[in-house]
Amino acid sequence: MDAIVFAALVPGGVADAPVLEQPTADPVVSGAACEAGRQAAEQRVSGAAVHPTASEPVLEASAPGEPEVSAPEAATDALEAGAADSSVQGRRLGAPVPEPAEEVFGNRDTTPEPEAVASATEAGGTDPTTLVRAVGDPAPEAVPAPRGFVPPPVLTRPVNSLHHARELPGQEWAVPDTVIDEADYEGLHLRAASLRGDKHRYERSTRQDAFGLHEIEHSGHRFVLACVADGVGSRPRSHRGAAYVCRMLHNVVAENMESLGEDVQEGGRRVVGVLARGMIDLAGREHFPADELSTTLTAVLIRVPEGEGRAPYLTMSVGDSPLFRLKDGVWRPLNVEPDEDGLILDTRTDALPDQASTVVVQTGELDLGDVLMLCTDGLSGPMGAPAVAEQLADWWGAGPVPGRMEFGWQLDFQAKSYNDDRTAVCVWRR
């Protein structure tokens, strides 16, 4: 197998190494809090008392000396204050009018109280007043929120202010900025995400990475087929090539399951050869050079285990999109051979359709607790830094399998000097 270096440390030592940064969470207010504030404000305007029920607090009319507020103004104030201003939401009969808490911009306590989180989990809701309040304020009394929810965090801090998405891509056959997918089987759990890089966002060019998740049935068994493809950046239609191979691979593998079972090497070469010819035919029909579709391809075919049975797999790869196995907290490359320093010695890579003959076919078996990861160099490059590799191993190792949105968020970390598209497919054997 040719030595293909997958990762690179930024020259210049530790100061220039990629840094894994976690986005911060902005203060959030639940919809239940806003609705409660709006209703309370309307009650204050009308001066009417709310008839209590066994589980609801009593709201009183405006206290003597309080200014009258018009309905639109009160509703606006309530929506802006959300759960933080209990005087807008209502208070118990006889309770004094609280002093307004002083707002400190950028210094908000957004961490829910443990008791609130526990009650929210049990009751399907939470007290929105525990979600957002000024630092130093005492915890307010619980207000029932039968259909409330804990809002997701608001993620901010882009890696580079110059690399915001500037409008939509202007290319033909442009693909979405971000794609996330998941699937769970007995014994296998799949998570996948493909994110457009900051450079492509800034240039208004489309994401050139792609992935595919497919199921195949053969001889009474179910198989999962996963793949990633990285369109060659210098080729104008490489995003089409990457999307094409990830979409067509399912049909080609399904038609060649017999040959893959008889001779994996010959079967793998046949599969990749059919894909390459399809790319050449596509270019011929539309009258452009086939190498404009150039893309890498790494794929794995895994048999879905029965109970704690075996989970054998077969891999096929053309180019430098690596395949890793996470075992006992350590990432082990399966189809690439980095040098001692993790440096990229040659940025060129084999690619379809021209280098179909360079396909590398391997077989293996996933043990319980293992994770198999296919990715593009937008992820394997930053993984050359130990901090990045260790954090991903911590997230995706022995703990619970992340949800699809959590997986996408984890993949969207910020690493200095890396602004390429980033794609990964992980398969957990649990």
Side-chain angles (χ1 to χ4, degrees):
M1 181 173 61
D2 293 338
I4 306 174
V5 179
F6 74 94
L9 293 175
V10 180
V14 176
D16 291 328
V19 178
L20 185 67
E21 301 178 1
Q22 298 185 24
T24 57
D26 285 344
V28 291
V29 179
S30 74
C34 293
E35 179 64 16
R38 184 189 66 77
Q39 294 176 358
E42 292 177 353
Q43 296 293 342
R44 292 180 61 192
V45 172
S46 64
V50 177
H51 295 286
T53 63
S55 60
E56 294 178 345
V58 179
L59 299 178
E60 65 175 350
S62 300
E66 291 184 2
E68 293 296 327
V69 185
S70 67
E73 292 173 349
T76 301
D77 293 343
L79 290 173
E80 292 178 352
D85 186 357
S86 59
S87 68
V88 175
Q89 288 189 19
R91 54 186 181 277
R92 297 184 182 278
L93 282 172
V97 178
E99 294 294 331
E102 180 181 356
E103 290 283 342
V104 182
F105 180 76
N107 188 23
R108 304 277 289 178
D109 180 7
T110 62
T111 305
E113 301 289 342
E115 297 81 11
V117 175
S119 64
T121 303
E122 296 173 0
T126 188
D127 173 11
T129 62
T130 63
L131 292 176
V132 182
R133 62 179 184 272
V135 175
D137 281 359
E141 295 185 25
V143 177
R147 300 190 63 80
F149 70 101
V150 179
V154 179
L155 307 180
T156 59
R157 295 180 61 193
V159 64
N160 190 323
S161 60
L162 296 178
H163 289 172
H164 289 290
R166 302 195 312 169
E167 305 175 0
L168 293 171
Q171 297 161 273
E172 289 185 326
W173 298 89
V175 297
D177 179 278
T178 301
V179 180
I180 299 176
D181 203 355
E182 69 173 352
D184 290 309
Y185 293 82
E186 182 180 355
L188 285 182
H189 306 273
L190 292 84
R191 302 291 183 267
S194 185
L195 316 173
R196 184 163 57 141
D198 288 328
K199 184 174 183 292
H200 287 157
R201 290 186 177 126
Y202 180 74
E203 295 175 343
R204 290 189 61 207
S205 56
T206 191
R207 174 172 49 87
Q208 295 175 318
D209 283 5
F211 72 80
L213 297 179
H214 310 281
E215 180 181 311
I216 297 175
E217 292 189 11
H218 179 71
S219 298
H221 294 283
R222 289 195 299 173
F223 296 81
V224 169
L225 175 64
C227 61
V228 298
D230 183 358
V232 176
S234 60
R235 298 295 186 261
R237 293 180 171 86
S238 63
H239 60 289
R240 287 191 65 185
Y244 176 88
V245 297
C246 287
R247 182 175 66 253
M248 297 304 298
L249 182 65
H250 170 257
N251 294 338
V252 177
V253 170
E255 293 170 357
N256 286 274
M257 291 294 288
E258 290 289 346
S259 61
L260 287 170
E262 296 170 358
D263 185 334
V264 293
Q265 296 295 329
E266 178 59 29
R269 287 191 290 268
R270 180 179 300 175
V271 166
V272 172
V274 172
L275 288 174
R277 289 193 294 275
M279 297 172 73
I280 294 171
D281 291 344
L282 172 62
R285 290 193 301 271
E286 299 192 16
H287 309 289
F288 60 80
D291 64 358
E292 291 189 3
L293 296 169
S294 294
T295 182
T296 69
L297 174 67
T298 295
V300 60
L301 181 67
I302 309 175
R303 193 176 74 189
V304 177
E306 299 177 358
E308 296 185 0
R310 300 174 60 240
Y313 65 82
L314 175 151
T315 70
M316 298 171 284
S317 56
V318 176
D320 62 356
S321 295
L323 177 71
F324 291 92
R325 184 173 185 165
L326 178 60
K327 190 177 185 67
D328 300 325
V330 179
W331 294 104
R332 295 177 173 85
L334 299 181
N335 66 336
V336 294
E337 297 178 2
D339 70 354
E340 295 179 356
D341 299 321
L343 298 176
I344 295 178
L345 303 179
D346 192 343
T347 58
R348 294 174 298 177
T349 181
D350 294 327
L352 294 173
D354 292 344
Q355 284 86 36
S357 61
T358 65
V359 60
V360 175
V361 182
Q362 298 174 299
T363 58
E365 185 171 331
L366 276 183
D367 298 326
L368 281 172
D370 288 356
V371 182
L372 200 63
M373 181 178 75
L374 304 76
C375 66
T376 60
D377 57 7
L379 179 60
S380 63
M383 285 179 66
V388 176
E390 291 169 6
Q391 180 62 77
L392 296 179
D394 182 61
W395 278 337
W396 300 341
V401 176
R404 59 185 181 276
M405 302 305 292
E406 182 182 7
F407 180 78
W409 176 82
Q410 292 167 340
L411 191 63
D412 198 19
F413 64 85
Q414 302 170 1
K416 182 180 179 181
S417 302
Y418 291 94
N419 56 16
D420 197 5
D421 299 338
R422 187 177 297 159
T423 300
V425 176
C426 287
V427 183
W428 282 261
R429 175 75 170 98
R430 299 284 175 85

